[in-house]
Amino acid sequence: MSQADSLIETLKRQLRAQGKTYADVARWLGLSEASVKRLFAEKHFTLARLECICDQLNLEFVELVQTMQAGEQRLQELTQAQEQSIVDDRELFLVAVCVINGYSFDEIHHQYQLSELECTRQLLKLERLQLIELLPGNRIRRRLAVNFRWRVNGPIQRFFQQYIANEFFRSRFDSDSEKLVVLNGLLSPAGNAEWQQTMQRLAKEFHSLCERESGLPIHQRFGTTSVLAVRQWQYGLFQDYKREAEAKS
């Protein structure tokens, strides 16, 4: 089902939930009931008409979209085997990262040395993993939940730690597009938990910003990686200076 189909089905459920009929919609839009039935059957609404119906239902348009998304099956996490299958296939891994970052089919094909056939083949693999839905015209619809993440200590996280982390930190972090902040202090368990919640909010803000800029042309957007991490940890450099009792605690 396309997003347009899902949106109209969600709108119909909202009408039923509030006891409204096609006759009510016809009155709101200044159309005949037959015309309204045809609009719903053909799923052909202008944005102005959708907003008018939402207003009559005391529903923000964005709430309608959010309700639609909440009703869809969204992927929160892959299985261990699925992640391993991505890690083991370099081209699949590349396409998966591109898709998660919002690349279109043409952008993947033109930016990387993948034929249209190979690009399609990898996208079909991702469709079987339920990461995406491949629509007519090679349009890509992501099926990821807002809280989608790679598995903790899973194949992809381990791959990052083993191969990418060292490369990532091999920088002076002194250019306009880079920043490194290292914080160190003393926190109670409750303070540590509060700081982790703050990190979660920052992660949500990052993803929201990515979504807001997803409509910009690809040449105006650049791969941006931010690492947020926290540990109850002390520099090993100072370990030899710790008193015996404290070292064992």
Side-chain angles (χ1 to χ4, degrees), residues 152-167:
V152 176
N153 199 32
I156 290 179
Q157 189 179 90
R158 291 198 300 270
F159 181 90
F160 175 85
Q161 292 169 338
Q162 183 174 358
Y163 296 105
I164 301 176
N166 287 337
E167 181 181 335

Side-chain angles (χ1 to χ4, degrees), residues 33-134:
E33 188 172 346
S35 295
V36 169
K37 289 180 179 179
R38 187 162 56 251
L39 286 176
F40 275 97
E42 296 175 354
K43 298 179 175 60
H44 185 66
F45 282 84
T46 64
L47 183 58
R49 283 174 173 170
L50 283 174
E51 289 181 333
C52 177
I53 297 172
C54 286
D55 286 343
Q56 294 295 329
L57 295 174
N58 195 26
L59 182 71
E60 295 288 339
F61 182 74
V62 68
E63 291 179 294
L64 180 67
V65 175
Q66 290 171 344
T67 301
M68 175 194 74
Q69 293 175 335
E72 294 179 338
Q73 183 179 1
R74 295 274 171 167
L75 191 66
Q76 295 180 325
E77 190 178 78
L78 296 177
T79 67
Q80 185 91 357
Q82 287 172 329
E83 280 200 6
Q84 191 63 55
S85 69
I86 291 177
V87 168
D88 291 342
D89 187 330
R90 184 181 176 189
E91 291 183 357
L92 181 60
F93 201 171
L94 167 64
V95 174
V97 170
C98 287
V99 163
I100 290 172
N101 285 321
Y103 278 57
S104 69
F105 181 94
D106 288 340
E107 288 165 347
I108 298 172
H109 172 56
H110 289 128
Q111 189 158 338
Y112 297 100
Q113 296 182 34
L114 293 175
S115 68
E116 290 189 6
L117 178 62
E118 186 56 36
C119 196
T120 301
R121 183 181 294 120
Q122 300 304 338
L123 288 171
L124 288 172
K125 291 180 183 178
L126 295 179
E127 185 173 50
R128 288 194 291 272
L129 293 174
Q130 297 185 325
L131 273 168
I132 67 164
E133 182 180 354
L134 191 57

Side-chain angles (χ1 to χ4, degrees), residues 69 75-76 97 99-102 142 144-150 198-215 221 224-228:
Q69 293 175 335
L75 191 66
Q76 295 180 325
V97 170
V99 163
I100 290 172
N101 285 321
R142 290 178 294 175
L144 305 178
V146 175
N147 61 342
F148 173 83
R149 67 175 186 175
W150 301 118
T198 300
M199 291 169 63
Q200 288 286 357
R201 289 196 295 271
L202 287 173
K204 289 181 180 179
E205 289 184 23
F206 178 83
H207 291 303
S208 295
L209 182 58
C210 290
E211 285 296 324
R212 289 203 303 272
E213 295 202 329
S214 62
R221 293 178 287 145
T224 302
T225 298
S226 183
V227 177
L228 303 173

